[in-house]
Amino acid sequence: MNIVVVGTGYVGLVTGVALAHIGHRVVCVDVDEEKVERMRRGISPIYEPGIEPLMKENMEANRLFFTTDGARAYREADVIYIAVGTPENEDGSANLTYLKQAVQDIASSVTKDVIVVTKSTVPVGTNHEIKRMFEQLAPHVRIEVVSNPEFLREGSAIYDTFHGDRIVIGADDERAAAVVADIHRPFGIPIFQTDIRSAEMIKYASNAFLATKISFINEIANICEKVGADIEQVAAGMGMDERIGASFLRAGIGYGGSCFPKDTKALAKIAANIDHDFELLKAVIEVNNKQQRKLIEKAKKRFGHLRGKKIALLGLSFKPNTDDMREAASLVVTRELVAEQATVVAYDPIAMNKAKSVLPKEVIYADRVEQALERADAAMILTEWDEFRQLDLSVYVKQMKTPIVFDGRNCYALHDVARYPIEYYSIGRKPITNIK
Ligand SMILES: NC(=O)C1=CN([C@@H]2O[C@H](COP(=O)(O)OP(=O)(O)OC[C@H]3O[C@@H](n4cnc5c(N)ncnc54)[C@H](O)[C@@H]3O)[C@@H](O)[C@H]2O)C=CC1
Ligand SMILES: O=C(O)[C@H]1O[C@H](OP(=O)(O)OP(=O)(O)OC[C@H]2O[C@@H](n3ccc(=O)[nH]c3=O)[C@H](O)[C@@H]2O)[C@H](O)[C@@H](O)[C@@H]1O
């Protein structure tokens, strides 16, 4: 079976590597020549723990190949996975330009029957539109379209692919569904087969539900601060109820990343297009927008104004173990701090290079956490990297002008912080004001 994966971003590359690892022959196609050149040398274009050894192992076993020659790959393919980006349009809807281009590329090259599997997150109805496009553009062959949405998380993408909770296969054609199910069987993950539209909806509904959990717990955290409860205790107590579940109840400065922000907006738009006002989801989005500014609000309350203050930012990526800066809270926080005329010194263990091209030019970058904290008036923790969680708290006391820490990810236990002369503001917990 010849498998081709179109697009080698987080989803495409991880899919290609994982399918090769369970024994398939996989050709990964990308239009980005530089990326393909690097992957051919075994270098991953994305920072993702564990990916490079797996890439190399499967390339050496002659199961995994990278090319820009899509036409040839599509001609020889039995199954083609589409994993190109579906970013956000200005109005919040999903931009299907890359997807449609990939469909055209495939249609103009295939010479035999093929199954096309859509991994990209696409609005309900898109796979049927793809099917219609193929019927028009490549009437000489039979192309079956299958929806196979992806649920991996960045930073644990390899683990998630081998240990996912389910593989969703949406198909109208039983034979195509069976072929795709067989391809995935070696993962040993439960397969949920359904119709195409339901599969498309499962993806959006899953992301929207997880985003709802986050905004919900953040609202509870905001109330906890005012009534003197502790969000960590509250989340732990809630999570013990299996109907609620313990995961995705970490309060903080909101969700970012390439998917929750765009997929929640896209689903709200899908609803609006059929005259359904998805009020709950709109509130989830609004709560998140406010939550990303929470540390700024706290700092302004503490200092009055931030003009001339040196603020150390710890963590820039939208979450740990990735260098992805898409919709990271740091984008909002740095913009606000610069507008407030604060001096911003930032440090991130991995994302600094990517950050430099997207954050305001006024941001100064430090090579080490100690350097960022040096003589700072305040620190803001935006991403819960292990490096910050494990940091000896005395470093704040030693390095900073005033050890005032705004922790947007609740990295430290309050009883640990209480042992140091630190002023500490976190999310949904009591502040600690131990500065002498
Ligand atoms: N990033 C994530 O964690 C997850 C993403 N998704 C969805 O998967 C899709 C892909 O997302 P990412 O991997 O983050 O995208 P990405 O933006 O990181 O990568 C897309 C890749 O496709 C390539 N490409 C674009 N047009 C092409 C064409 N015509 N032929 C060949 N290559 C082409 C680009 O050069 C790029 O390398 C999106 O729909 C996203 O919503 C779903 C689950 C998780
Ligand atoms: O569609 C997608 O692209 C993916 O989106 C998310 O994965 P990802 O964005 O990589 O990362 P998550 O671990 O879900 O975190 C997303 C954001 O939510 C925040 N978050 C997460 C969990 C939590 O309890 N609290 C919280 O604030 C994180 O800090 C981060 O900013 C989903 O978890 C994946 O299942 C899905 O495939």
Side-chain angles (χ1 to χ4, degrees):
M1 176 96 59
N2 271 334
I3 295 179
V4 172
V5 179
V6 192
T8 57
Y10 289 88
V11 171
L13 180 57
V14 172
T15 300
V17 169
L19 289 176
H21 200 67
I22 57 172
H24 301 296
R25 180 183 189 277
V26 183
V27 179
C28 294
V29 177
D30 206 292
V31 284
D32 186 330
E33 285 181 18
E34 199 189 314
K35 232 182 198 180
V36 169
E37 194 42 52
R38 277 171 52 211
M39 291 187 289
R40 279 189 172 145
R41 286 185 277 127
I43 302 167
S44 167
I46 52 165
Y47 175 84
E48 189 61 46
I51 197 161
E52 281 190 354
L54 273 195
M55 265 173 84
K56 285 182 189 143
E57 186 184 329
N58 288 289
M59 286 164 78
E60 278 160 20
N62 276 325
R63 286 193 295 261
L64 181 63
F65 306 87
F66 297 98
T67 184
T68 49
D69 188 355
R72 179 170 168 201
Y74 306 144
R75 222 168 28 240
E76 294 170 357
D78 298 305
V79 179
I80 302 173
Y81 284 79
I82 300 183
V84 299
T86 48
E88 184 182 323
N89 281 322
E90 252 174 38
D91 66 355
S93 62
N95 178 340
L96 300 177
T97 312
Y98 301 109
L99 182 96
K100 288 188 175 164
Q101 183 59 51
V103 168
Q104 279 169 13
D105 296 347
I106 294 167
S108 60
S109 310
V110 283
T111 48
K112 61 180 169 85
D113 294 354
V114 65
I115 297 171
V116 171
V117 184
T118 309
K119 267 219 166 284
S120 302
T121 303
V122 292
V124 182
T126 305
N127 277 288
H128 285 113
E129 197 183 331
I130 294 174
K131 174 94 175 139
R132 281 194 295 276
M133 282 179 74
F134 279 134
E135 281 162 2
Q136 278 171 11
L137 298 169
H140 52 294
V141 289
R142 185 185 165 97
I143 302 181
E144 287 302 338
V145 178
V146 173
S147 164
N148 170 222
E150 178 55 61
F151 300 99
L152 63 77
R153 291 164 299 176
E154 289 179 23
S156 54
I158 298 285
Y159 179 88
D160 289 347
T161 305
F162 287 96
H163 302 91
D165 292 326
R166 76 307 206 186
I167 289 166
V168 172
I169 295 177
D172 292 341
D173 180 79
E174 275 304 317
R175 194 197 61 89
V179 171
V180 178
D182 281 345
I183 291 174
H184 289 261
R185 196 108 41 216
F187 287 119
I189 294 171
I191 290 172
F192 182 75
Q193 196 190 315
T194 183
D195 63 279
I196 289 181
R197 283 172 192 272
S198 302
E200 292 168 330
M201 190 51 128
I202 286 169
K203 176 62 196 174
Y204 279 107
S206 300
N207 273 1
F209 188 75
L210 293 171
T212 304
K213 262 187 124 173
I214 298 171
S215 279
F216 183 84
I217 204 69
N218 283 337
E219 281 285 68
I220 297 291
N222 296 337
I223 297 167
C224 281
E225 284 178 19
K226 299 208 162 129
V227 298
D230 183 313
I231 192 61
E232 301 294 319
Q233 298 292 312
V234 173
M238 285 170 66
M240 287 173 80
D241 185 330
E242 278 182 16
R243 294 170 304 172
I244 296 172
S247 58
F248 273 73
L249 291 180
R250 275 182 288 114
I253 45 169
Y255 59 78
S258 65
C259 289
F260 285 172
K262 93 171 159 64
D263 291 349
T264 46
K265 281 183 241 166
L267 181 52
K269 188 77 190 162
I270 290 168
N273 287 344
I274 40 117
D275 286 332
H276 182 95
D277 188 13
F278 200 158
E279 285 182 83
L280 176 61
L281 189 57
K282 284 181 358 199
V284 166
I285 296 167
E286 192 45 40
V287 166
N288 196 61
N289 291 341
K290 284 194 191 144
Q291 201 67 16
Q292 288 194 321
R293 300 188 63 260
K294 213 72 201 171
L295 297 188
I296 301 278
E297 213 177 86
K298 284 174 191 271
K300 274 166 107 174
K301 194 167 162 209
R302 167 63 180 77
F303 289 108
H305 65 81
L306 301 175
R307 198 176 330 112
K309 298 274 182 248
K310 181 177 172 187
I311 312 284
L313 290 190
L314 306 189
L316 300 171
S317 55
F318 83 96
K319 68 173 199 172
N321 297 323
T322 179
D323 61 355
D324 201 334
M325 288 291 298
R326 289 180 280 186
E327 303 279 341
S330 63
L331 293 162
V332 174
V333 173
T334 49
R335 259 198 309 269
E336 292 258 345
L337 286 175
V338 167
E340 294 287 330
Q341 297 180 345
T343 302
V344 184
V345 184
Y347 169 76
D348 186 286
I350 294 291
M352 224 124 67
N353 266 345
K354 282 211 175 156
K356 283 176 189 166
S357 56
V358 289
L359 295 185
K361 61 178 184 339
E362 290 86 351
V363 175
I364 301 163
Y365 296 89
D367 293 332
R368 290 176 306 117
V369 67
E370 289 81 1
Q371 193 187 338
L373 293 173
E374 210 173 297
R375 305 283 313 144
D377 295 290
M380 291 185 178
I381 304 175
L382 307 185
T383 319
E384 67 277 34
W385 285 95
D386 278 348
E387 185 177 344
F388 308 144
R389 284 175 173 285
Q390 288 155 12
L391 193 68
D392 191 327
L393 290 166
S394 65
V395 171
Y396 292 107
V397 183
K398 274 193 216 124
Q399 299 296 112
M400 296 176 70
K401 187 162 139 202
T402 44
I404 302 175
V405 179
F406 297 92
D407 182 355
R409 299 294 178 187
N410 291 357
C411 287
Y412 309 116
L414 291 184
H415 59 84
D416 285 337
V417 180
R419 292 190 286 120
Y420 294 85
I422 291 178
E423 216 175 290
Y424 180 76
Y425 301 91
S426 54
I427 305 290
R429 304 188 295 177
K430 289 196 181 79
I432 292 181
T433 47
N434 274 353
I435 293 192
K436 303 278 177 295

